[in-house]
Amino acid sequence: MDVMIPNRIHIIGSVGSGKTTLARALAAQLNLPYYELDNVVWERAEPDDIRRSEADRDALLLSIVNNNCWIIEGAHLNWVSPSFRRADLIVFLNPSYSTIICRIITRFIKQRLRLELAHYTPTWNMFIKMFQWSAAYQRKGKYQIQDALAGYPGKVVVVKNHGQLMQQLKQWKPSIEQQERTPG
């Protein structure tokens, strides 16, 4: 049975849910470009990043989603509906709170030791903000995402753990291997 390989994927979830890791893995596996929504919101500059205007942010998002192939990842919700509408697949990463907390701590340590790159300076203040964002997500954010994604039936896959994610990826693997063997 052939399973359609998605060409336009939106990945959403809390800080520490694994969005960037999954986007990078899928981009490599499916040979698709990926975009971080934080880089749509922020223009990366030295010494400090510059927040784009809403109009510039929205125009940049539209320029991405109007392409035929992409992976977009981020925690943003209120302004990303063009991506949801155009996506072939929306992956909602919703791991346990303990998993998220563990990942936030691990990421911070790796970034402070310069074992992992960050688009921001991994300060103690940023570390605390990640816990605050995560707590707000648990109280309210995940329910807002669930409500928003209810409007996209048939497109949404909710992933709560690594096993579920691996099962989903296995569904695409035979199609990917077949696609690689098929001459261009």
Side-chain angles (χ1 to χ4, degrees):
M1 177 171 115
D2 282 337
V3 176
M4 182 187 85
I5 301 169
N7 288 320
R8 294 177 300 273
I9 303 170
H10 187 115
I11 303 168
I12 190 167
S14 171
V15 60
S17 63
K19 300 177 304 295
T20 304
T21 301
L22 177 60
R24 287 178 181 155
L26 288 177
Q29 182 178 349
L30 302 175
N31 196 29
L32 298 174
Y34 86 92
Y35 304 89
E36 299 174 34
L37 287 175
D38 285 346
N39 293 335
V40 173
V41 172
W42 295 97
E43 183 178 344
R44 302 303 180 183
E46 291 294 332
D48 295 313
D49 295 339
I50 302 164
R51 183 182 282 275
R52 287 188 171 89
S53 69
E54 288 183 13
D56 288 346
R57 175 202 68 196
D58 294 349
L60 181 53
L61 179 65
L62 284 176
S63 74
I64 294 168
V65 302
N66 284 333
N67 290 310
N68 290 327
C69 300
W70 45 259
I71 298 171
I72 294 174
E73 65 88 1
H76 304 275
L77 180 63
N78 295 330
W79 52 274
V80 298
S81 58
S83 174
F84 290 160
R85 282 192 300 272
R86 187 104 161 93
D88 300 319
L89 174 69
I90 303 168
V91 179
F92 176 23
L93 295 179
N94 193 19
S96 70
Y97 189 50
S98 60
T99 297
I100 290 170
I101 295 302
C102 182
R103 288 177 179 167
I104 290 171
I105 294 168
T106 302
R107 175 193 296 164
F108 181 74
I109 292 168
K110 286 180 177 179
Q111 289 173 345
R112 291 290 287 208
L113 294 173
R114 297 175 195 227
L115 300 173
E116 182 177 300
L117 295 176
H119 292 299
Y120 53 86
T121 304
T123 63
W124 288 105
N125 186 42
M126 182 60 78
F127 187 54
I128 291 167
K129 282 184 180 180
M130 291 203 182
F131 285 106
Q132 292 169 339
W133 293 330
S134 177
Y137 170 82
Q138 291 300 315
R139 284 190 313 273
K140 189 175 175 184
K142 68 180 174 181
Y143 303 108
Q144 291 172 328
I145 292 170
Q146 288 170 343
D147 289 346
L149 296 183
Y152 302 94
K155 286 187 176 188
V156 179
V157 173
V158 179
V159 177
K160 295 186 179 207
N161 58 53
H162 187 73
Q164 283 182 321
L165 178 57
M166 292 298 101
Q167 190 64 30
Q168 184 66 44
L169 293 176
K170 281 182 189 175
Q171 289 182 2
W172 297 327
K173 190 152 181 69
S175 296
I176 292 167
E177 289 171 351
Q178 181 181 13
Q179 182 178 354
E180 290 172 349
R181 285 192 302 267
T182 304

